[in-house]
Amino acid sequence: QVHLVQSGGEVKMPGASVRVSCKASGYTFSNYGISWVRQAPGQGLEWMGWISSNNVYTNYAPKFQGRVSMYSDTSASTAYMELRSLRSDDTAVYYCARGRIGGDYWGQGTLVTVSS
Amino acid sequence: QSVLTQPPSSSGTPGQRVTISCSGSNSNIGTNTVNWFQQFPGTAPKLIIYNNNERPSGVPDRFSGSKSGTSASLAISGLQSEDEADYYCAVWDDSLSAVVFGGGTKVTVL
């Protein structure tokens, strides 16, 4: 059974960085890419980017270029998303999903709150 | 403002057919396949349609997708109370080199 389990909620000060992890199980991690999607309170879904299978390729949404990094540890079946220079409008639930366009399996979401 | 345009809301009575539109452009829907997601409050989205019109295993066949030109649609036939949720379309955009989501449509079962 496929599961994506994300790290717990975070509270960060403006200007700080946050790293969210996404541990996969139930399938061969290296065969699938992982995308990251966020959702601000009361808002819609926003695609942040994608890392391909085996860490070969990353693709970030223009809005996040230069501020986000996505990588994975294949040996640990875990993907990571790091967002830097946090602002208050980065407060959102961050999801990982299997596949480039969201996907067939999603993590439970990680609430990142940016507040002074 | 989203690159893909969806109506903010739609409603129907149990048993009715509801259709949600997703309007895009040549650089996204006109060229690439569309996915649809269902989301209940406080939970992660769920894939219900991929490649324009295919259903993942376990998704009821009352959900169907279609695409024509630069627009796509999600239809829910035989609407049920448990279908009350938010629905999002998503597609790769060649111009942006990124995935774009529609703004979402809240379906209410009256």
Side-chain angles (χ1 to χ4, degrees):
Chain A
Q1 197 171 4
V2 175
H3 288 290
L4 297 176
V5 179
Q6 299 182 219
S7 48
E10 302 260 15
V11 179
K12 295 292 184 180
M13 298 280 284
S17 298
V18 68
R19 188 181 78 165
V20 180
S21 67
C22 171
K23 182 169 177 57
S25 61
Y27 71 98
T28 303
F29 181 76
S30 58
N31 287 351
Y32 293 83
I34 293 286
S35 57
W36 291 87
V37 176
R38 77 176 187 179
Q39 187 170 37
Q43 302 301 308
L45 301 174
E46 182 174 35
W47 188 83
M48 300 180 67
W50 169 74
I51 180 166
S52 68
S53 58
N54 275 325
N55 271 324
V56 171
Y57 181 70
T58 53
N59 182 201
Y60 303 138
K63 175 178 179 177
F64 299 101
Q65 285 276 4
R67 209 160 66 93
V68 72
S69 295
M70 296 175 187
Y71 52 99
S72 63
D73 179 348
T74 303
S75 66
S77 298
T78 301
Y80 300 89
M81 185 281 298
E82 179 179 315
L83 188 61
R84 300 177 290 276
S85 302
L86 290 168
R87 307 183 289 255
S88 58
D89 61 0
D90 290 318
T91 293
V93 175
Y94 290 75
Y95 294 102
C96 62
R98 189 177 80 165
R100 186 176 67 161
I101 308 178
D104 52 357
Y105 292 94
W106 292 64
Q108 83 276 18
T110 296
L111 175 61
V112 175
T113 303
V114 183
S115 174
S116 55
Chain B
Q1 192 159 354
S2 302
V3 172
L4 302 179
T5 301
Q6 295 182 236
S9 63
S10 183
S11 62
T13 56
Q16 273 191 326
R17 175 184 171 92
V18 168
T19 300
I20 300 167
S21 62
C22 176
S23 178
S25 66
N26 287 326
S27 65
N28 44 63
I29 294 178
T31 308
N32 301 300
T33 60
V34 180
N35 289 359
W36 288 90
F37 298 90
Q38 176 191 58
Q39 186 182 33
F40 297 106
T43 69
K46 172 188 175 183
L47 180 69
I48 57 171
I49 295 290
Y50 66 99
N51 289 349
N52 301 327
N53 55 19
E54 298 191 63
R55 279 187 310 276
S57 173
V59 174
D61 60 6
R62 65 177 182 275
F63 291 94
S64 63
S66 64
K67 188 180 93 167
S68 178
T70 59
S71 292
S73 294
L74 172 71
I76 311 174
S77 303
L79 190 66
Q80 298 185 10
S81 58
E82 58 260 38
D83 298 332
E84 189 164 286
D86 294 322
Y87 294 85
Y88 296 88
C89 56
V91 64
W92 179 262
D93 188 294
D94 290 341
S95 295
L96 297 173
S97 292
V99 171
V100 290
F101 278 93
T105 298
K106 182 175 181 59
V107 169
T108 301
V109 182
L110 302 171

